[in-house]
Amino acid sequence: MEKILMKGNEAFAEAAMRGGAGYYFGYPITPQNEIPEYMSHELEKTGGAFIQAESELAAVNMAYGAAAAGGRAFISSSSPGLALMQEGISFMCSVEVPVVILNVSRGGPGVGGIQPGQADYMQATRGGGNGDYHVPVYAPSTIQEAIDMICSAYDVADRYRNPVMVLADGMMGQMMEPVVLPPARKASTYEEIRRDKPWSLTGKGDREERNVLKSLRLQPDVLEEHVMHLFEKYDRMEKELVKYETFGNMDSEIIFVAFGTMSRLVAESIEILAERGISAGMIRPITLWPFPVKPFEELSPSTKVVISAELSMGQLIADVKASVNGRVPVRLINRVGGIVPSSIEIADRAQKHLEELA
Amino acid sequence: MKQVFAVTRGMLPADTSYCPGCTHGVAHRLIMECLDEMGELENTIAVSPIGCSIVAHQYMNIDMCESAHGRAPAVASGIRRVHPDKTVFTYQGDGDLASIGMGEIIHAAHRGEKFTTFFINNAIYGMTGGQMAPTTLLGQKATTAIYGRQKEKAGSPLRICEMLSTVEGAVYVERVALNSPANVRKAKKAIRNALEVQKRGLGFSFVEMLSSCPTNWGKTPYDALQWIQDAMIPYYPLGVFRKPEDM
Ligand SMILES: Cc1ncc(C[n+]2csc(CCOP(=O)(O)OP(=O)(O)O)c2C)c(N)n1
């Protein structure tokens, strides 16, 4: 397979198209502008459609419409835009409509800055909008991994009839890496949509029953039953979707936990620590929700500290602490505001944490 | 025997949840009759709003979805991209369209979206119990304007047809009223025109229907219809604001 050099954002856009996205709706925001720009000229070539939406609120609701109609929709934004999309994400979970959402996240709160951040972790993994719901959240650490995730996210979204999120960051959106693009999936015909998504809005045609997609359930017992139904689905996701990777020596005194850009830096820090005679390993959650609890249950007796390394004020650490469940001390190494620490800074701070616990 | 009247197949045989004297039911029926007459019932996808008529899909016999408050035009834009040859419409109240969803409706018109919006202007928030809408008339009482709407505090009522008719992409814009048999007949013609404009792919089409809300206006159904005539029509003039040249 041919390797080509691609900028993260353009690769994400191309991956979405090859994964089958026929419809993209977006509003400009740095650091992901290359995605709507790319889609605006590439998507129509595949027979799809692009709309520059008037806001992220409109974009997410356009995606809901396209997905309700049986199309494969893709939306992307960066942190403040994702905040506006929460209404639609909650709504789509309620109505059970599959879309793929990409957050090329940046520092906050408020408008914050345009440099990479991971402070949308809670928003992504805890629902973010109103009501009880979940979306599977995938955290790529390389552009190639992001490409593969975006493509397969459509299968996950369709299988569970639920939105799926990919949480990248501004660093990944802006950097270039050699990648291999998967073959393009063919767009579904009208007949295929009616066959494969019998619930979708295609016009009644010769169907026995008309289709209605709804969120309103005024009767408490009916709404409770629906929420229970959604949670049966989320339970299945927790069993079927969890993904993680370990790196380095898992019998080490230091075990890092990091995702996305931070996990790449931590991998370097582990080598720096090794040169200093300190052994370290890493758990890299690939799904942030459902969170991989198992590797924490399997922590080695020699592990003295678990370190959550993140570009936020301690969000990932909440899941880490819950998973470690008091077995060993948990510490935080973080930078915010768009600052990405060097691998040396991470190694130094980890070493200090270990010494303090000795 | 010759059949002179039949209920349209477009309406399901269900009692509506709307209050006595509310004209949502009339608007529903007119739209469904037009689609039925055009042979489009099996070919239509519609979006209901947040408001009393969120449940329109319980009565309209077509494929339909609900939308978040004000977002129906965005949802319809997405549906339209997937199914360019279907008939698509949104059905929205004045809180939904003229307040929280103002951005979505203006930009749907602005893009010249090839769907139709039916706008039910009853000058009040019905579902939430009678709060002031952007279309509430000056002096009209609402639960958030108990002495009547005052211009100094809340501005003057928005005229949506007039506003949309400044937008190039809105090719058919008409205001009708549902308060008398004659006006109801004109409303049906307007609905048909708007749907024809959509079928011809000319751009965005829009029909505003001045409607009653006896419950939240504190009026009898009869007085409510009279109030449309005496108070609403003078401020919201009926007529065609924009139409294609050949119509
Ligand atoms: C985001 C959001 N804000 C507020 C509401 C509450 N709400 C439900 S219906 C409604 C008003 C609807 O009024 P209108 O559009 O005039 O329609 P009507 O009920 O009069 O037909 C409001 C504010 C909501 N459901 N969602």
Side-chain angles (χ1 to χ4, degrees), chain B residues 8-12 26-38 40-41 44 46 56 59-62 64 89 91 118 188 191 195:
Chain B
T8 166
R9 278 192 316 122
M11 289 295 282
L12 292 160
V26 178
H28 285 19
R29 196 182 110 191
L30 295 179
I31 298 166
M32 290 301 112
E33 280 178 356
C34 287
L35 289 169
D36 193 1
E37 286 158 19
M38 293 167 75
E40 281 294 304
L41 286 173
T44 296
Y59 318 120
M60 295 179 171
N61 189 12
I62 50 176
M64 246 177 130
F89 73 84
Y91 183 102
F118 299 112
K188 185 166 174 185
I191 292 166
L195 292 169

Side-chain angles (χ1 to χ4, degrees), chain A residues 28-45:
Chain A
I29 183 168
T30 310
Q32 62 86 59
N33 288 322
E34 294 84 356
I35 302 175
E37 286 164 1
Y38 192 86
M39 289 302 201
S40 72
H41 51 80
E42 292 306 308
L43 203 47
E44 273 175 21
K45 292 183 192 164

Side-chain angles (χ1 to χ4, degrees), chain A residues 87, chain B residues 24 50-53 69 93-97 100 122 124-128 133:
Chain A
E87 169 190 273
Chain B
H24 268 311
I50 298 292
C52 292
S53 55
H69 203 12
D94 45 11
D96 193 79
L97 182 143
I100 197 167
N122 60 9
I124 201 98
Y125 281 51
M127 194 188 208
T128 39

Side-chain angles (χ1 to χ4, degrees), chain A residues 190-196 198 202-207:
Chain A
Y190 179 71
E191 285 68 30
E192 284 165 347
I193 291 176
R194 279 175 78 86
R195 186 195 62 205
D196 300 338
T202 53
K204 183 169 169 289
D206 56 6
R207 230 193 286 119

